[in-house]
Amino acid sequence: MEIDPFIFRLSIFILSIFVGYFVVWSVTPSLHTPLMSVTNAISSVIIVGAIIASFSSLDGSSISFSNILGFVAVTLAAINIFGGFLVTQRMLRMYKKKKK
Amino acid sequence: MSANLSSVLFLITGILFILALRGLSSPETSRMGNFFGITGMILAIVVSILSVDIFFSNLIYFIIALSIGGILGGIIAFKIPMTAMPQLVAGFHSLVGLAAVLVAISAYYSPDSFGLGTFQNIKTASIIEMGLGVSIGAITFTGSIIAFMKLQGLMSGSPITFPGQHYLNALLGILIISLISYLIINQSTQIFWLLIITSLLIGFLIIIPIGGADMPVVISMLNSYSGWAAAGIGFTLENTALIITGALVGSSGAILSYIMCKGMNRSFLNVILGGFGTDSTSSVSSKEKTEHKPVKSGNAEDAAFLMKNASSVIIVPGYGMAVAQAQHALREMVDKLKKNDVKVSYAIHPVAGRMPGHMNVLLAEANVPYDEVFELDNINNDFANTDVAYVIGANDVTNPVAKTDPKSPIFGMPVLDVEKCKSVLFVKRGMSPGYAGVDNELFYRDNTLMLFADAKKMTEDIVKHLD
């Protein structure tokens, strides 16, 4: 019997939760704010869905409701991607060690 | 690009994101981690562009959308003051939620372009995943907007409660599950939109009863939700990068919520049900007590004298420091003390501030080296061997009542043992109790000197007297 591809995706999902669990516990508490801003930035990888939506059967002559939603979603995700990574970068640059 | 190749590249995106989080295990590796994250994101965008059938001329629309968002995001990232990070993160969460909702609606109306079937005839598994994604996305969206408004001061931070609130929420929760199940049989637009509207409503309702100082939990929780929403969409679109990222972000937010709850010794459920610190009787009785008990108060000169002659000082910053923007003055004070050969360190309580790690960022911004800043567990034993504790903008997290009075609402909460220092300097504007509505026993101790002033003004005055 063939395995439903859904099971593979579910396996990836569950293993990723475990990876996330261990990786996040190893994050030093002083970097919890950058952790939140960077997880925010990476969750904007939802832009891949927005890209499909933007270009779905877009032939240049007519733009569908789905396409418009797609472009709006691309804009929102882009705010998050640029904003999230840049503000994380800005914060991380401030963490300095004691001058010896 | 072939589907197999793009899948492998999306997997690499996921791995780069894992490395991005892994980098945050220490400040030295963190910048490299952020670079991995950015690389992963660029890879994901390029792969998706190459995977869809597009007319080249339409790419311009995409570039315009990306540029508008990019410029806005860039401006926000550079302009935002560090004290406003909590509301920024809440605002960003709402965007992830809304983007998830928009993608799901788009997929619902044009399932053929996503390979999910035809309109109102979407594959069963896909419609369930889509329903879950759109629902969690909508909850994240409205919930984050309320959190943003509370943090930004656009609405009162005090809990909003009304009779039957929990029953209403439970009812709406059941309605959402029923609607998602009903979508399996009937994919009509009415059901789909009703699901979105119900989810938007419940997102709003679950955040309004939660008070200002519980915001660290709320932000972490919404962080988690935005991840689960992304994962839901990832399952719908059968996209590995989204599934992995959603799982990472979801578990990250869940862990942070757990750490924050533990920092307050409250169960997650207790925070979510809200209404903490509204018990009017307890605050009335504490006011009465305040009027009777004697308090020693001093001025900047006394404080400067005490600290200059100490051999060690521990600074305990809290949200009040952020509100007063006192972090730079504080740093100046510490520099002067160090010149006088005073050993200075900082003690951070897990729930100090309005989001996890908030105080650390503010201190880093004021050029405080991160190796002088300690977490509760690592510094709590040092108070007993320290001459002076300088408490600035913190209150409940220093209250010894949490260790002694089982009847107190904050009993069992881990607190910083500042009272073990030889003397405690407590900067505060007045005698009002902290967020929990509990009177701080520390104020009446013999070794406590109250400094009644704005945190920034007092610190600046102390700096003057240290010369």
Side-chain angles (χ1 to χ4, degrees), chain A residues 27-34 95, chain B residues 24 26-27 356-361 370 373 375:
Chain A
V27 172
T28 165
S30 68
L31 292 176
H32 276 163
T33 298
Y95 283 80
Chain B
L24 290 169
S26 92
H358 193 192
M359 285 301 126
N360 303 77
V361 171
Y370 62 81
V373 183
E375 306 303 317

Side-chain angles (χ1 to χ4, degrees), chain B residues 150 155-162 165 207-215 266 271-279 435:
Chain B
K150 285 195 173 198
M155 71 186 270
S156 154
S158 54
I160 299 169
T161 49
F162 54 85
Q165 194 165 21
I207 307 300
I208 55 166
I210 307 179
D214 285 337
M215 280 301 147
R266 294 174 61 195
V271 174
I272 295 310
L273 294 179
F276 190 60
T278 50
D279 184 16
Y435 170 71

Side-chain angles (χ1 to χ4, degrees), chain B residues 24 52 99 116 148 194 223 229 241 251 382 418:
Chain B
L24 290 169
V52 285
L116 306 176
F148 172 82
L194 188 61
N223 185 235
S251 50
D382 296 352
V418 290

Side-chain angles (χ1 to χ4, degrees), chain A residues 25-65:
Chain A
W25 272 116
S26 75
V27 172
T28 165
S30 68
L31 292 176
H32 276 163
T33 298
L35 171 68
M36 296 201 82
S37 60
V38 87
T39 48
N40 201 342
I42 65 172
S43 57
S44 310
V45 74
I46 196 132
I47 198 168
V48 303
I51 290 171
I52 304 174
S54 305
F55 293 112
S56 69
S57 43
L58 182 66
D59 56 8
S61 55
S62 63
I63 284 187
S64 72
F65 179 55

Side-chain angles (χ1 to χ4, degrees), chain B residues 436-448:
Chain B
V438 190
D439 200 24
N440 196 338
E441 197 197 295
L442 198 61
F443 300 167
Y444 315 107
R445 297 252 172 148
D446 283 340
N447 60 344
T448 304

Side-chain angles (χ1 to χ4, degrees), chain B residues 27-293:
Chain B
E28 288 102 69
T29 54
S30 62
R31 279 161 281 230
M32 192 62 194
N34 205 38
F35 172 74
F36 284 132
I38 294 170
T39 314
M41 187 59 78
I42 295 171
L43 179 67
I45 294 174
V46 172
V47 173
S48 344
I49 294 277
L50 295 178
S51 314
V52 285
D53 293 326
I54 52 170
F55 292 85
F56 199 68
S57 58
N58 290 328
L59 205 59
I60 188 76
Y61 298 122
F62 172 75
I63 291 168
I64 292 172
L66 192 73
S67 312
I68 294 173
I71 291 167
L72 278 176
I75 294 172
I76 296 168
F78 284 107
K79 293 264 175 194
I80 192 88
M82 284 299 140
T83 40
M85 276 313 292
Q87 47 269 52
L88 177 75
V89 168
F92 278 169
H93 287 157
S94 75
L95 298 183
V96 178
L98 185 57
V101 173
L102 296 180
V103 171
I105 297 175
S106 179
Y108 172 80
Y109 281 99
S110 323
D112 37 336
S113 32
F114 291 83
L116 306 176
T118 52
F119 180 56
Q120 298 203 341
N121 198 10
I122 298 169
K123 285 184 284 182
T124 307
S126 305
I127 194 79
I128 299 171
E129 292 154 357
M130 192 188 288
L132 284 171
V134 79
S135 174
I136 305 170
I139 294 170
T140 312
F141 174 55
T142 45
S144 302
I145 285 183
I146 301 299
F148 172 82
M149 286 176 33
K150 285 195 173 198
L151 288 161
Q152 183 69 31
L154 298 174
M155 71 186 270
S156 154
S158 54
I160 299 169
T161 49
F162 54 85
Q165 194 165 21
H166 304 319
Y167 294 106
L168 178 64
N169 290 349
L171 203 71
L172 290 175
I174 295 167
L175 181 62
I176 286 175
I177 295 166
S178 323
L179 286 170
I180 294 173
S181 324
Y182 195 61
L183 274 177
I184 302 169
I185 336 169
N186 181 350
Q187 298 183 2
S188 76
T189 45
Q190 287 93 328
I191 303 292
F192 187 70
W193 281 98
L194 188 61
L195 173 65
I196 295 176
I197 292 164
T198 318
S199 306
L200 289 172
L201 187 64
I202 201 163
F204 169 79
L205 285 171
I206 53 172
I207 307 300
I208 55 166
I210 307 179
D214 285 337
M215 280 301 147
V217 182
V218 171
I219 300 194
S220 315
M221 183 183 86
L222 292 166
N223 185 235
S224 184
Y225 285 4
S226 69
W228 304 131
I233 302 297
F235 274 104
T236 320
L237 306 185
E238 307 181 349
N239 182 296
T240 331
L242 260 171
I243 295 175
I244 297 176
T245 314
L248 291 177
V249 178
S251 50
S252 165
I255 291 172
L256 290 175
S257 313
Y258 169 79
I259 295 174
M260 293 300 112
C261 287
K262 214 170 140 242
M264 296 192 288
N265 188 40
R266 294 174 61 195
S267 73
F268 185 67
L269 204 64
N270 180 284
V271 174
I272 295 310
L273 294 179
F276 190 60
T278 50
D279 184 16
S280 52
T281 51
S282 76
S283 59
V284 167
S285 63
S286 68
K287 259 179 214 151
E288 280 166 6
K289 268 188 268 165
T290 316
E291 282 157 17
H292 297 297
K293 277 199 257 175

